[in-house]
Amino acid sequence: MNILQSFAIAISMYSKIPMPDVEWKKENMRYAMCFFPFVGVVIGAVTYLIGRILFQLSVGPVFRGVVFTLIPLFVSGGIHMDGFMDTMDALASYGDQEKKLEILKDSHAGAFAILGLGCYLIWNVAVWSELGPELLGISCLIYTVSRALSGLSVVTFQAARNSGLLRTFQDGAQKRTVGITMTGYLVLSLCAAFVADWRAAAGMALASGLTFYYYKHICKKQFGGVTGDLAGYFLELSELLMLTGILICGGGLWS
């Protein structure tokens, strides 16, 4: 079935979860993006289960923060962090659109990519180490929200290039179906968040909205459209800022 093959393509592309080999033909690509946020569901579930164990064992906050930071990198294989690092180098170049796009294609990591990665990991560990067990469940929803918004951008934003992996997904996708599916993931995740803790959910929603607006702006103004690296950059940045919003608005800083 094409749906199952689309599922296998999405999971194998955006995670390290073992999947059977599937041919990347047009019929199989049609609904692949619909399953992109499912990787976030898996990451959230793994984070929640491991988190409950760590809290039960009264593990120290820094250790917890490191574990929570590494889980999405291990499950995803770091594919989105690669885009984050490439984008950090491109943004720091202050070159024109063509220069920035060339930097995105460069496989070498520059100084600003390394600095950006270091700051990201330290910030992420710090925020996770401050979050208590009462905010664990809502925090695990960020991985689905980030992927739903990233997937939505893939089928709604103009592509910066006429080739590349993102363009392959764009050309093969049933954009209307993917857009509706991404919206469904987003609405369900936010509803679950508001039921769990409306203050923390408000922080998460505000952070994701502002980050998405910033992402759309830089795609249009600085790169002439979206690329796979930019989509990965947004995903990583939105997760970090949503987590920060949960911490601030959910009261984690004062508990």
Side-chain angles (χ1 to χ4, degrees):
M1 293 177 64
N2 289 334
I3 293 294
L4 293 178
Q5 292 170 333
S6 295
F7 175 82
I9 288 175
I11 302 304
S12 61
M13 177 65 206
Y14 294 111
S15 78
K16 287 297 184 180
I17 301 170
M19 283 285 138
D21 290 333
V22 175
E23 183 181 356
W24 283 40
K25 57 184 180 180
K26 186 176 181 180
E27 293 80 7
N28 297 338
M29 297 292 293
R30 192 170 296 166
Y31 302 107
M33 283 302 299
C34 293
F35 299 103
F36 177 35
F38 185 78
V39 177
V41 175
V42 173
I43 294 173
V46 172
T47 301
Y48 183 80
L49 291 174
I50 293 178
R52 297 308 303 176
I53 294 171
L54 294 179
F55 280 115
Q56 286 291 328
L57 295 175
S58 299
V59 172
V62 175
F63 185 88
R64 287 199 313 269
V66 172
V67 172
F68 290 144
T69 297
L70 293 179
I71 289 172
L73 292 176
F74 286 162
V75 176
S76 69
I79 183 173
H80 309 298
M81 186 58 75
D82 176 72
F84 175 85
M85 294 175 69
D86 288 342
T87 303
M88 290 297 294
D89 271 338
L91 291 174
S93 72
Y94 294 101
D96 57 19
Q97 285 186 3
E98 288 302 317
K99 175 66 174 178
K100 289 186 174 75
L101 290 173
E102 283 298 317
I103 292 174
L104 290 182
K105 292 194 295 184
D106 191 345
S107 60
H108 298 91
F112 289 99
I114 303 302
L115 286 170
L117 174 64
C119 290
Y120 184 100
L121 295 177
I122 292 171
W123 187 351
N124 206 59
V125 170
V127 175
W128 268 118
S129 67
E130 291 290 336
L131 289 169
E134 71 282 354
L135 292 175
L136 176 61
I138 191 172
S139 298
C140 292
L141 293 171
I142 65 172
Y143 304 111
T144 306
V145 173
S146 65
R147 283 161 177 78
L149 287 172
S150 183
L152 193 61
S153 74
V154 168
V155 295
T156 57
F157 290 8
Q158 176 183 328
R161 304 191 188 102
N162 291 322
S163 61
L165 186 59
L166 180 137
R167 188 57 185 261
T168 300
F169 274 95
Q170 277 190 332
D171 291 342
Q174 282 278 7
K175 294 184 179 180
R176 177 179 172 81
T177 302
V178 172
I180 293 173
T181 304
M182 295 300 107
T183 303
Y185 278 112
L186 187 60
V187 170
L188 288 174
S189 297
L190 290 176
C191 286
F194 275 97
V195 169
D197 186 321
W198 71 268
R199 292 178 302 173
M204 182 175 75
L206 179 62
S208 63
L210 291 175
T211 310
F212 192 76
Y213 176 80
Y214 161 75
Y215 165 51
K216 184 176 182 180
H217 174 76
I218 65 167
C219 283
K220 182 178 180 181
K221 296 296 183 181
Q222 300 199 42
F223 295 91
V226 67
T227 70
D229 284 324
L230 289 170
Y233 168 77
F234 162 74
L235 187 148
E236 296 289 358
L237 184 62
S238 66
E239 288 178 358
L240 183 62
L241 296 182
M242 279 191 285
L243 203 61
T244 304
I246 290 171
L247 175 63
I248 294 173
C249 297
L253 284 176
W254 304 283
S255 59

